[in-house]
């Protein structure tokens, strides 16, 4: 995936683990080796989202160490902060790139029952706080505002009422594009076009799994979404699409590595049962998107 990721001026991913140091552990309280983000940076990701339901898996020390590692690598990040002062200084996140002023917001529905340990701050879904953040974002004179949401019900292939209502509310507040994650399965996406002014807003309800060890049906893959803009007297979307990706991991292939690959290609070198898993993921995702997507199509590379 590296070549495709590096084509982007800004490549964004949800970091749904902590870099909490040893002992390294998986579910339910994640702590990954620092090499994980070294690899993410090498692949081309330059902005990571840190507000999700695993942000506090290793407590205050884990949250702060995660930020320390990302800052040491100069990886942009948004969502969690050492204290309120740091949040006020750095949130919303303004990124200036190619004569664009882009603002990013990131929120989570919760943190698996763990509470913030003062003075740490995790950006959570709270309309009062979010409305104030959006107004602050507008004061930065951005060209575009992106809100990245950690929301929804796990393993549900379609968005729930709360996701839909919240997406509508965010757009009404002035957010331009909404990108979601958390359900561990892909959910549909929509390109909404205002019938009066022609403005377009992208809503992606769930990207889901890029790199993971999950093996239930529909959880062994996900998608990347690309969106390209042009800035003249107005800002227009010149290209937007999604590509399916699939994780070939040890419990499926028998190898000791996890490899993310374009899901739309065939891999005759894989064991037969593994190739069948990839085909099942692609078939199910395409059927879902054929039924529910609005004005956004698959692309290939």
């Amino acid at each position: 995936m590296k070549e495709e990721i590096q084509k982007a001026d800004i490549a964004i991913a949800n970091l749904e683990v902590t870099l909490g140091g040893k002992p390294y552990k998986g579910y339910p309280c994640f702590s990954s080796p620092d090499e994980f983000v070294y690899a993410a940076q090498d692949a081309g990701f330059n902005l990571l989202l840190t507000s999700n339901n695993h942000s506090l898996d290793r407590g205050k020390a884990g949250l702060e160490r995660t930020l320390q590692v990302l800052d040491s690598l100069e990886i942009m990040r948004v969502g969690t902060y050492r204290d309120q002062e740091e949040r006020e200084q750095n949130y919303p996140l303004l990124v200036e790139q190619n004569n664009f002023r882009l603002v990013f917001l990131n929120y989570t529905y919760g943190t698996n029952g763990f509470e913030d340990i003062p003075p740490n701050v995790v950006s959570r879904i709270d309309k009062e706080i979010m409305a104030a953040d959006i107004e602050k974002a507008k004061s930065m004179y951005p060209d575009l505002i992106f809100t990245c949401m950690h929301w929804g019900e796990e393993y549900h292939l379609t968005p729930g009422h709360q996701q839909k209502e919240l997406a509508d509310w965010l757009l009404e507040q002035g957010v331009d594009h909404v990108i979601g994650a958390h359900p561990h399965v892909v959910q549909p996406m929509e390109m909404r076009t205002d019938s009066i002014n022609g403005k377009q807003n992208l809503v992606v309800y769930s990207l889901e799994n890029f790199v993971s060890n999950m093996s239930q049906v529909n959880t062994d893959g996900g998608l990347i979404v690309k969106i390209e803009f042009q800035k003249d007297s107005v800002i227009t979307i010149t290209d937007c699409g999604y590509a399916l990706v699939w994780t070939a991991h040890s419990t499926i292939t028998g190898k000791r590595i996890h490899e993310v690959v374009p899901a739309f290609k065939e891999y005759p070198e894989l064991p037969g049962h593994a190739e069948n898993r990839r085909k099942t993921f692609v078939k199910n995702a395409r059927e879902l998107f054929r039924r529910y997507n609005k004005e956004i199509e698959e692309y290939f590379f």
Side-chain angles (χ1 to χ4, degrees):
M1 300 300 301
K2 181 175 179 177
E3 183 178 351
E4 180 64 14
I5 295 166
Q6 290 187 338
K7 291 178 183 177
D9 295 301
I10 301 175
I12 306 164
N14 171 41
L15 182 67
E16 199 163 348
V17 295
T18 67
L19 306 171
K22 296 180 179 179
Y24 304 129
K25 290 187 177 182
Y27 182 85
C29 291
F30 297 128
S31 179
S32 291
D34 298 352
E35 285 82 358
F36 185 61
V37 291
Y38 301 164
Q41 185 179 50
D42 180 68
F45 290 110
N46 45 27
L47 171 55
L48 296 179
L49 312 173
T50 59
S51 181
N52 54 66
N53 59 305
H54 290 283
S55 299
L56 296 175
D57 278 8
R58 296 296 289 268
K60 183 174 186 293
L63 182 147
E64 293 185 355
R65 189 180 186 282
T66 301
L67 302 183
Q68 178 185 355
V69 173
L70 297 181
D71 291 347
S72 71
L73 296 173
E74 298 184 347
I75 297 175
M76 294 184 291
R77 41 91 174 180
V78 59
T80 58
Y81 302 92
R82 295 175 180 87
D83 52 41
Q84 187 64 35
E85 181 180 0
E86 183 185 49
R87 187 183 191 274
E88 290 175 359
Q89 291 177 349
N90 297 283
Y91 194 80
L93 176 67
L94 173 65
V95 179
E96 297 185 79
Q97 180 81 31
N98 295 357
N99 199 35
F100 280 86
R101 290 175 62 85
L102 310 175
V103 169
F104 295 92
L105 299 161
N106 176 211
Y107 300 96
T108 181
Y109 72 93
T111 49
N112 292 350
F114 295 113
E115 297 296 328
D116 296 11
I117 301 175
N120 295 168
V121 182
V122 177
S123 293
R124 299 172 184 267
I125 296 173
D126 179 308
K127 283 187 176 179
E128 183 177 349
I129 294 173
M130 294 164 68
D133 292 339
I134 293 168
E135 289 306 306
K136 183 178 177 181
K138 292 177 183 177
S139 73
M140 296 176 171
Y141 301 102
D143 294 301
L144 297 165
I145 300 174
F146 296 82
T147 302
C148 301
M149 304 296 294
H150 209 76
W151 60 3
E153 294 292 328
E154 291 186 347
Y155 315 119
H156 285 218
L157 291 169
T158 54
H161 171 75
Q162 289 184 327
Q163 284 170 278
K164 293 180 179 180
E165 187 275 332
L166 195 50
D168 293 343
W169 181 84
L170 287 165
L171 298 180
E172 289 168 1
Q173 302 307 303
V175 169
D176 294 288
H177 306 289
V178 180
I179 312 295
H182 173 63
H184 297 301
V185 294
V186 296
Q187 291 182 344
M189 61 210 87
E190 307 168 350
M191 182 65 75
R192 304 183 185 185
T193 303
D194 190 293
S195 59
I196 299 175
N197 59 25
K199 182 179 179 180
Q200 293 182 297
N201 304 105
L202 175 65
V203 177
V204 179
Y205 286 107
S206 177
L207 292 168
E208 286 327 311
N209 294 335
F210 189 75
V211 180
S212 86
N213 198 51
M214 301 185 78
S215 56
Q216 296 180 44
V217 173
N218 299 321
T219 67
D220 51 351
L223 52 91
I224 58 175
V225 169
K226 71 172 182 179
I227 183 165
E228 298 179 4
F229 303 96
Q230 180 173 312
K231 183 178 180 180
D232 296 309
S233 57
V234 296
I235 296 171
T236 56
I237 296 173
T238 56
D239 191 19
C240 185
Y242 67 90
L244 297 171
V245 299
W246 183 73
T247 303
H249 60 73
S250 57
T251 58
I252 295 175
T253 65
K255 298 180 180 180
R256 294 189 63 191
I257 63 170
H258 288 52
E259 184 176 13
V260 184
V261 297
F264 49 82
K265 297 181 180 180
E266 294 188 352
Y267 299 93
E269 69 275 16
L270 287 175
H273 69 278
E275 182 65 352
N276 287 338
R277 287 289 301 267
R278 180 196 63 79
K279 290 178 179 178
T280 297
F281 166 72
V282 172
K283 175 177 177 291
N284 291 350
R286 285 177 175 162
E287 287 179 354
L288 177 74
F289 295 154
R290 191 177 301 117
R291 183 175 180 182
Y292 292 107
N293 274 17
K294 297 179 181 178
E295 304 301 325
I296 180 169
E297 302 292 337
E298 184 176 2
Y299 83 95
F300 308 92
F301 55 89

